[in-house]
Amino acid sequence: QVQLQESGGGSVQAGGSLRVSCAVSEYPTESYCLGWFRQTPGGQREGVADIDSDDSTTYADSVKGRFTISQDNAKNTLYLQMNRLKPEDTAMYYCAADWSGYCPGGPGPRQSDFGDWGQGTQVTVSS
């Protein structure tokens, strides 16, 4: 079973930057979609960004222009660079994988498309 492990979360002041990472244990298919989601306590899980094996990306409107998703296949690692952070970006951030093919198209990923999930990493933005 594929394992995903997030890291890099933490606390930052509004306007600051943070990068979270997701280590992927293996890639069972050549075509895939990787995504970042976030969830606040009591809230729904929200798709943030996705990237597929062709490096095509989509973003939720709430983060477009501030967040950048990328991947380093040599390191089996997915990244989310978050700039100009806002207090409303505070959430648990999860990475997820869909091995059935390319990302279907955004904006941002849909939770129902993903079968493998990490445990999450907390990002807190203070005002």
Side-chain angles (χ1 to χ4, degrees):
Q1 184 177 356
V2 176
Q3 295 185 341
L4 306 173
Q5 181 63 60
E6 301 92 341
S7 62
S11 297
V12 64
Q13 288 192 328
S17 298
L18 203 61
R19 188 179 76 166
V20 291
S21 303
C22 173
V24 183
S25 63
E26 61 177 298
Y27 291 73
T29 61
E30 289 190 359
S31 299
Y32 58 83
C33 178
L34 301 176
W36 284 102
F37 293 79
R38 64 187 182 185
Q39 188 171 20
T40 56
Q44 291 187 339
R45 194 164 291 188
E46 173 193 17
V48 174
D50 60 22
I51 186 169
D52 64 22
S53 41
D54 275 356
D55 279 336
S56 294
T57 61
T58 73
Y59 296 89
D61 290 341
S62 58
V63 305
K64 196 173 295 182
R66 300 188 298 123
F67 290 11
T68 302
I69 188 171
S70 63
Q71 59 185 334
D72 186 336
N73 294 117
K75 296 182 179 180
N76 283 13
T77 303
L78 174 72
Y79 301 101
L80 184 69
Q81 176 67 44
M82 302 179 287
N83 298 328
R84 291 185 281 138
L85 281 160
K86 305 175 181 180
E88 50 262 44
D89 294 318
T90 295
M92 186 72 76
Y93 282 71
Y94 299 88
C95 60
D98 171 22
W99 306 108
S100 67
Y102 300 112
C103 297
R110 297 177 307 192
Q111 182 178 349
S112 59
D113 291 333
F114 293 80
D116 290 326
W117 292 84
Q119 296 299 307
T121 185
Q122 178 68 37
V123 172
T124 302
V125 184
S126 58
S127 57

